[in-house]
Amino acid sequence: MRYKIVDKKDLCPGNYLIEIEAPNIAQRFEPGQFVIVRINEKGERIPLTVADFDTQKGTITLIFQVVGKSTMQLGTLNVGDAVLDCVGPLGKPSEIKKFGRVICIGGGTGIACIYPLIRALADAGNEVISIIGARTASLLILEDEITVLISRTSVATDDGSKGHHGFVTDVLTNLLDEYRNSGGIDRVIAIGPPVMMKAVADITRSLHIKTIVSLNSVMLDGTGMCGSCRVFIDGEMKLACIDGPEFDAHKVNFEDLVSRLEMFKEKESEAMNHYSSNAGVRK
Amino acid sequence: MIQIGGTRIAMEEQPVQQRIKNFCSVPLGYTEEEVIAEAQRCIQCIHGPCEKMCPVHMDIKAMIREIVARNFKEAFLIAKKDNAIPAIAGRVCPQEEQCEGVCPFFNTDNGINIGKLEAFIADWAMENGVKEEFHIEERPEQVAIIGSGPAGISCAVDLRKYGYKVTMFEALHKAGGVLQYGIPAFRLPKDIVDYEVSYLTEIGVEVKLNHIVGQNIMFNELRKKFDAIFVGTGAGAPQFLGIEGERLKGLYSANEFLFRTNLMKAYEFPEYDTPIVCGAAIGVIGAGNVAMDVARCALRLGAKNVYMLYRRTKKESPARIEELQHALEEGLRFMELVNPSRVLGNEDGWVTGIELLRMKLGEPDKSGRPRPIKIEGSEFTMKLDTVVEALGNKPNRLFLDQTPELETTRWGTLEVDKNLMTNVEGVAAGGDAIRGNATVILALGDGRKAAQSIHNYILRRRK
Ligand SMILES: Cc1cc2nc3c(=O)[nH]c(=O)nc-3n(C[C@H](O)[C@H](O)[C@H](O)COP(=O)(O)OP(=O)(O)OC[C@H]3O[C@@H](n4cnc5c(N)ncnc54)[C@H](O)[C@@H]3O)c2cc1C
Ligand SMILES: Cc1cc2nc3c(=O)[nH]c(=O)nc-3n(C[C@H](O)[C@H](O)[C@H](O)COP(=O)(O)OP(=O)(O)OC[C@H]3O[C@@H](n4cnc5c(N)ncnc54)[C@H](O)[C@@H]3O)c2cc1C
Ligand code: SF4
Ligand code: SF4
Ligand code: FES
C-alpha cells in the first residue's frame, strides 16, 4: 500500500508540512501519538509526530525538519507522490483531561508536536498558555494556528528577532512567577530539543509542577521489538515507542537520551553525502 | 549402482574467505546427481525413526524414494503435504536433534542429509513453477491470523484449504516474522521467504502489513469481525541482562542488530538507508542460534574479532551444529565459562569493553545442562567496541497488554489447551507465542494443528 501526499507546504527554511492519505490512522489518532514512515524500498523507518488530522478527508499532517538523509528526501516529494509505508498511530496517547492551567512549550519542530496537545487540552476545558520558541523568527512555525486556539501565546527567539530575546525557559520562569499568587500552574508540557526539555524540567522540579516531555529517541520498529529507543526513567529501562513517547520530565535521564541520539551520527552524515552526490548525478 | 550407507555426500559451500564478505547463501545446494546419490544412501528403515522424530511427521522415506527415482515433483508434493515451507525447514531445522539425529548413520556423522534433500526438492519446485494443486471450496466464515511468522503462515494456508476467508495482520512492513527479520540471508535467502509469502496471496489470503494488533487495530474489533482468530505473534521482545552500562552507545539487543542488518539491509548501507555501527571487536552474549546469527553477521559487516561470551561450554551451546561449525570456520572466537557483570564505557558514552566473571559447571539444572556457577573474585575485563545481548526473547507485551482476557503463563506465553485453543472462545494460538523461543518447525506444526481446531470449532458452532 502506498500513502499519497495530497498537500505540501514549505513552512520555513528546512521545515515542511505534508498531508498524507491514511484514513485508518486519521480515524484512530489521538494527540501525542506518532507514525513511522518509510519512503521507499531502500528507506529507513523514521518516526514523525502527527501534527494534525482530518477524519473527513482521511488524512494526517506531518511537519518535519530536514536534519538528515531521510527527512531531506521526504522534503523532495510533492503532491501526487507517495510514501511506501506509514504505520501508526504508535505510542501511548497523551493524558488529556481538565488539569486547570497548563503551560505548553514547543521548541523548533517541537511546536508541531505540541500543537495537537494545545488544541486537545483547550477543548478539555483547560486554560492553556503556550510558549513557542525558535532560533530565529523565520523558523517559527504554526504561530497563527496556535494563537487563534488559546488566549495567551508567548514567543521567544534565540536572536531576538521576534518576541523575547532568549530561550523559552526565560519566558517560563517569568510566567511561573506571574501566576504564583493567582492559582499557580497545574501542569507543564514541553516538546523540543532534549536540552530545552531538560532545562524546563530543571525549572519545574523544585516547584513540584508535574511536567511531561515527549522523547525522540532513535527508533526502528516502533513496536517494542528492538530496544533501540530505550530510555531511562528513574533508573529503569523503558521503551519510548510503546511506554512513551511521553514521560514524567523529572524522572528522565536526559544525558543518556542526548548521548544515545548520537549513536549513528557518523553513519548519518555518510548517508547524507551518498544521497547528495547521487541526487546531483541524477539531475 | 545403489549405494546404501556410505559417506554423506558433502555439500559444496562458498569458501570462507569469500563468504565472509557477502550475505549470499553459504551452502551452494546439491546438484541433481548429488541429491540422488545422497538419497540412495537411505536404507528405508522399517519403523522410519526419522519420521517419528520430525515434529510434523513428514513422510521422509516416501520423499526419499521419489528422489531416488528422480521424481522431484512427487517428492516435493509428499514433503508439502505435512510441511507448508520445506524450502525453509530444510535449511533451518535443528536436524541433528530431530529427523537426522535418529538416523542409523548419524553416529558416524553420516546421517542422511534429510534437510538438504528437502531444500533441494523445494527449490526445484520453485524454479520449475511446480505447486501443490487443490480446489478450494469457499466457506462463508472468516478467520483472522495475527502475525506472519511460520505459525501464522502454516495456519493461513490450511485454513484457506478448508475454504475460509483468511486475513493476516502483520505489524511490520514485511511478512515472514523471524524468517524475514531475524535469520540472515546467508542462511535463508530472502527470495525463498518472499516466495512463500507471495504464495499466501496467490491462494487468496489477504495480508495486511503495518497492522499492529493492540495498537492500531484492536483485538476486540477482530473478535467482532471474524469467526475465529489465530494468534501467532511470536516472542519478539528483547531481554536485557539488567547490568551496568546498557545505556551505552555500541550496545544492542540481538533483535536490533539483526533487524537493522537483515530486514533493513544495513549491510548494503548507504545504498539502503538504515545504518549499523559494528566495531572491530564485538562481544556477543549467549550461544544459541540467535547469537550465532549475530556473530556471523558481524563478521560480514567487517568486525575483526568476534567473541562469543557464553556461561557454559561449546558442548552445551543450544545452536544448531551446522551454525556453530560455520561460525567457527568464519573466525568466531568462542569464550567458554564467562558471564558478563558490567559493560564498560568512556566519557562520550561509547562501549569500550566488558567485565566478565569466570564460571564453572555444576550439577545439571532443569534444562538438563550443567548449571553454571560463578567463581567469586574472578573478574577480568576485555576491550570491545560493540556488545550484543542475545539472551532470547519474551512475548511482545504490546499485544498482551491489550488482551487481559487471554490467560498467560508466568513466562508471559499464552495458555492453550491440547488443541491449542486459548481460554477465549474461537481464539487459538501457537508458535513462539505459546512456547517462548522454540523452532520454526514447531511453530509450523502448531499453525497446522490450530487450523484443524479452528475448523472443528467453526463446524461445531454451525450446528
Ligand atoms: C516519537 C518521535 C516523534 C518525532 N516527531 C518528529 C516530528 O514531528 N518532526 C520532526 O521533524 N522530527 C520528528 N522526530 C525526529 C525524526 O524522527 C528525526 O529527525 C528523523 O528520524 C531524522 O532522520 P534523517 O534520516 O533525516 O536524519 P538522520 O540522518 O537520521 O539524523 C540527522 C541528525 O538528527 C539526529 N537524529 C536522528 N534521529 C533522531 C531522532 N529520532 N530525534 C531527533 N534527532 C534525531 C541525529 O543525531 C543526527 O544528528 C521524531 C522522533 C521521534 C522518536
Ligand atoms: C535470529 C534467530 C534465529 C533463529 N534460528 C532458528 C533456526 O535456525 N532454526 C529454527 O528452527 N528456529 C530458529 N529460530 C526460532 C524461530 O525463528 C522461531 O521459533 C519461529 O520463527 C517462531 O515462529 P512464530 O510464527 O511463532 O513467530 P515469529 O516468527 O516470531 O513471527 C511472529 C510475527 O508476528 C508479528 N507480530 C507480533 N506482534 C504482533 C501484533 N500485535 N500484531 C500483528 N503482528 C504481530 C511479528 O512482527 C512477527 O512477524 C531463530 C530465531 C531467531 C530470532
Ligand atoms: S521438517 Fe525438519 S525435522 Fe522434519 S524432516 Fe524436514 S528437516 Fe527434518
Ligand atoms: S532413519 Fe535414515 S536411513 Fe532410516 S529411513 Fe530415515 S533417513 Fe533413511
Ligand atoms: S523502536 Fe524498537 S523497541 Fe522501540
Side-chain angles (χ1 to χ4, degrees):
Chain A
M1 171 142 183
R2 299 195 131 247
Y3 298 79
K4 232 171 79 192
I5 297 176
V6 295
D7 193 14
K8 179 188 181 186
K9 288 196 186 87
D10 289 15
L11 288 184
C12 64
N15 278 264
Y16 295 98
L17 172 155
I18 52 173
E19 196 178 336
I20 301 185
E21 241 168 43
N24 283 332
I25 302 177
Q27 202 155 48
R28 290 165 194 275
F29 168 76
E30 290 182 55
Q33 292 186 299
F34 62 98
V35 293
I36 284 186
V37 171
R38 194 171 66 124
I39 300 176
N40 57 30
E41 197 46 47
K42 295 183 176 176
E44 61 182 332
R45 298 169 59 104
I46 59 165
L48 295 171
T49 307
V50 178
D52 207 350
F53 65 106
D54 186 333
T55 34
Q56 295 284 310
K57 276 162 69 189
T59 60
I60 57 169
T61 298
L62 307 176
I63 293 177
F64 59 92
Q65 184 187 11
V66 172
V67 294
K69 196 254 156 174
S70 299
T71 42
M72 174 176 271
Q73 190 176 13
L74 196 56
T76 64
L77 301 184
N78 289 308
V79 172
D81 292 340
V83 295
L84 183 57
D85 292 297
C86 179
V87 54
L90 299 170
K92 287 200 164 55
S94 269
E95 189 185 0
I96 302 288
K97 64 176 189 203
K98 188 161 178 186
F99 298 108
R101 190 181 283 142
V102 182
I103 296 184
C104 289
I105 308 170
T109 316
I111 303 172
C113 310
I114 200 99
Y115 172 64
L117 296 180
I118 294 178
R119 188 161 58 190
L121 287 165
D123 285 349
N126 292 284
E127 179 190 343
V128 182
I129 299 165
S130 80
I131 311 173
I132 57 176
R135 275 203 325 275
T136 184
S138 63
L139 292 176
L140 209 56
I141 56 173
L142 298 179
E143 189 187 348
D144 297 340
E145 286 81 351
I146 290 173
T147 316
V148 299
L149 282 179
I150 51 175
S151 54
R152 186 161 187 187
T153 302
S154 306
V155 168
T157 50
D158 298 4
D159 64 357
S161 49
K162 185 155 199 188
H164 171 78
H165 186 162
F167 298 131
V168 288
T169 39
D170 306 337
V171 182
L172 173 66
T173 313
N174 293 341
L175 285 175
L176 292 174
D177 263 352
E178 185 184 328
Y179 285 99
R180 178 160 296 156
N181 298 319
S182 53
I185 299 295
D186 299 295
R187 182 174 277 237
V188 172
I189 305 174
I191 310 181
V195 275
M196 181 205 97
M197 297 192 287
K198 180 176 188 304
V200 170
D202 288 343
I203 292 172
T204 58
R205 186 177 288 112
S206 56
L207 299 169
H208 305 289
I209 301 173
K210 177 90 170 177
T211 302
I212 304 291
V213 289
S214 177
L215 303 185
N216 56 346
S217 52
V218 177
M219 291 187 183
L220 194 54
D221 60 296
T223 70
M225 266 182 51
C226 73
S228 160
C229 66
R230 62 188 184 274
V231 289
F232 297 86
I233 310 296
D234 235 0
E236 215 186 306
M237 188 192 293
K238 295 277 177 195
L239 301 177
C241 67
I242 57 171
D243 297 317
E246 292 184 1
F247 293 97
D248 182 338
H250 299 152
K251 297 182 175 166
V252 172
N253 186 323
F254 286 101
E255 287 77 17
D256 286 335
L257 176 72
V258 172
S259 167
R260 289 189 52 75
L261 276 170
E262 286 167 356
M263 177 144 165
F264 298 100
K265 210 160 199 164
E266 253 173 61
K267 291 278 179 183
E268 281 149 4
S269 39
E270 197 182 326
M272 187 78 164
N273 294 338
H274 178 80
Y275 177 67
S276 320
S277 57
N278 280 3
V281 172
R282 242 180 271 135
K283 280 244 169 85
Chain B
M1 190 189 75
I2 296 196
Q3 226 218 342
I4 288 173
T7 39
R8 196 175 207 184
I9 309 287
M11 177 164 289
E12 212 187 316
E13 293 179 343
Q14 267 200 77
V16 173
Q17 283 319 313
Q18 178 189 325
R19 77 189 193 221
I20 56 166
K21 297 194 181 75
N22 66 49
F23 274 72
C24 303
S25 179
V26 169
L28 297 176
Y30 281 137
T31 62
E32 289 196 8
E33 299 322 312
E34 284 167 342
V35 84
I36 291 171
E38 178 66 11
Q40 280 171 337
R41 296 176 48 235
C42 165
I43 53 170
Q44 297 281 311
C45 308
I46 296 172
H47 299 295
C50 50
E51 297 176 355
K52 288 207 185 75
M53 280 302 281
C54 165
V56 296
H57 306 302
M58 259 182 42
D59 286 341
I60 299 170
K61 284 159 60 183
M63 173 184 86
I64 291 181
R65 282 197 303 274
E66 296 300 341
I67 294 176
V68 171
R70 213 182 267 272
N71 292 334
F72 298 139
K73 179 174 176 182
E74 273 314 304
F76 169 70
L77 294 176
I78 289 168
K80 194 81 182 169
K81 197 159 49 62
D82 303 300
N83 177 350
I85 47 175
I88 295 170
R91 287 180 166 83
V92 305
C93 263
Q95 285 96 2
E96 63 271 16
E97 291 165 22
Q98 301 175 354
C99 54
E100 291 172 23
V102 289
C103 184
F105 308 117
F106 182 72
N107 290 341
T108 53
D109 281 344
N110 284 306
I112 309 297
N113 202 338
I114 302 171
K116 295 292 178 346
L117 298 183
E118 194 177 318
F120 173 89
I121 51 161
D123 291 355
W124 179 90
M126 183 164 98
E127 277 152 31
N128 292 278
V130 171
K131 287 175 188 163
E132 227 183 339
E133 280 166 30
F134 49 86
H135 170 71
I136 293 178
E137 213 153 302
E138 296 292 341
R139 294 172 193 266
E141 288 89 353
Q142 304 196 38
V143 185
I145 309 271
I146 311 176
S148 64
I153 292 177
S154 82
C155 193
V157 169
D158 274 21
L159 286 166
R160 257 322 271 154
K161 287 184 181 169
Y162 287 125
Y164 299 107
K165 287 191 179 49
V166 180
T167 311
M168 179 181 267
F169 297 89
E170 168 54 48
L172 298 174
H173 61 256
K174 249 187 166 163
V178 172
L179 307 176
Q180 194 68 261
Y181 74 77
I183 302 181
F186 51 83
R187 256 196 333 121
L188 180 60
K190 294 305 158 211
D191 51 343
I192 295 173
V193 183
D194 292 340
Y195 180 79
E196 297 302 346
V197 170
S198 67
Y199 179 67
L200 289 176
T201 347
E202 213 173 287
I203 62 171
V205 175
E206 190 185 351
V207 182
K208 286 183 173 272
L209 303 174
N210 295 326
H211 279 71
I212 311 157
V213 180
Q215 178 69 37
N216 62 5
I217 180 156
M218 294 299 152
F219 187 59
N220 282 340
E221 293 172 55
L222 299 186
R223 285 197 66 204
K224 279 194 208 111
K225 175 147 190 250
F226 294 90
D227 297 276
I229 297 175
F230 173 73
V231 184
T233 46
Q239 275 176 329
F240 289 90
L241 282 169
I243 55 176
E244 193 184 315
E246 286 178 332
R247 53 197 70 201
L248 295 167
K249 290 175 287 219
L251 182 132
Y252 300 89
S253 75
N255 268 10
E256 179 180 358
F257 196 88
L258 294 170
F259 199 102
R260 286 182 180 275
T261 311
N262 300 317
L263 186 67
M264 307 311 292
K265 293 208 165 53
Y267 59 87
E268 292 194 37
F269 179 87
E271 192 48 37
Y272 279 72
D273 291 347
T274 308
I276 191 157
V277 175
C278 179
I282 160 170
V284 185
I285 303 170
N289 283 321
V290 181
M292 291 304 159
D293 283 343
V294 171
R296 297 180 69 198
C297 283
L299 286 158
R300 285 161 175 77
L301 289 167
K304 295 277 169 298
N305 294 309
V306 179
Y307 301 94
M308 184 147 286
L309 311 173
Y310 188 44
R311 331 184 262 161
R312 296 186 171 96
T313 71
K314 233 181 254 163
K315 220 171 79 213
E316 287 84 28
S317 154
R320 298 177 63 218
I321 291 175
E322 187 182 342
E323 256 40 83
L324 180 58
Q325 266 168 3
H326 278 151
L328 291 170
E329 284 166 20
E330 289 165 10
L332 171 73
R333 299 169 181 219
F334 200 111
M335 290 180 60
E336 303 182 325
L337 297 167
V338 290
N339 201 32
S341 46
R342 177 155 85 93
V343 181
L344 312 170
N346 63 16
E347 279 161 20
D348 298 329
W350 281 94
V351 167
T352 55
I354 197 162
E355 182 185 84
L356 299 159
L357 207 61
R358 295 214 187 268
M359 311 291 279
K360 61 180 182 209
L361 293 182
E363 294 298 302
D365 62 13
K366 274 189 275 21
S367 70
R369 293 177 301 177
R371 184 194 303 278
I373 301 169
K374 286 184 182 145
I375 302 176
E376 293 305 330
S378 65
E379 288 89 349
F380 68 104
T381 62
M382 67 189 281
K383 282 199 174 127
L384 293 174
D385 307 300
T386 307
V387 171
V388 181
E389 296 192 24
L391 309 171
N393 297 323
K394 294 173 294 195
N396 200 323
R397 59 191 156 92
L398 195 58
F399 175 74
L400 294 174
D401 283 354
Q402 297 299 322
T403 54
E405 62 270 47
L406 285 171
E407 269 172 26
T408 52
T409 65
R410 67 192 160 95
W411 298 279
T413 51
L414 290 169
E415 191 92 63
V416 288
D417 65 16
K418 63 179 192 316
N419 297 317
L420 302 184
M421 298 304 283
T422 66
N423 63 309
V424 175
E425 199 188 317
V427 180
D432 281 6
I434 63 165
R435 297 172 182 275
N437 302 285
T439 61
V440 170
I441 196 69
L442 286 171
L444 189 120
D446 286 353
R448 167 140 247 227
K449 187 167 174 190
Q452 173 84 54
S453 298
I454 287 175
H455 180 51
N456 291 342
Y457 163 78
I458 291 178
L459 290 183
R460 218 170 38 240
R461 213 190 45 173
R462 219 193 252 173
K463 280 190 195 131

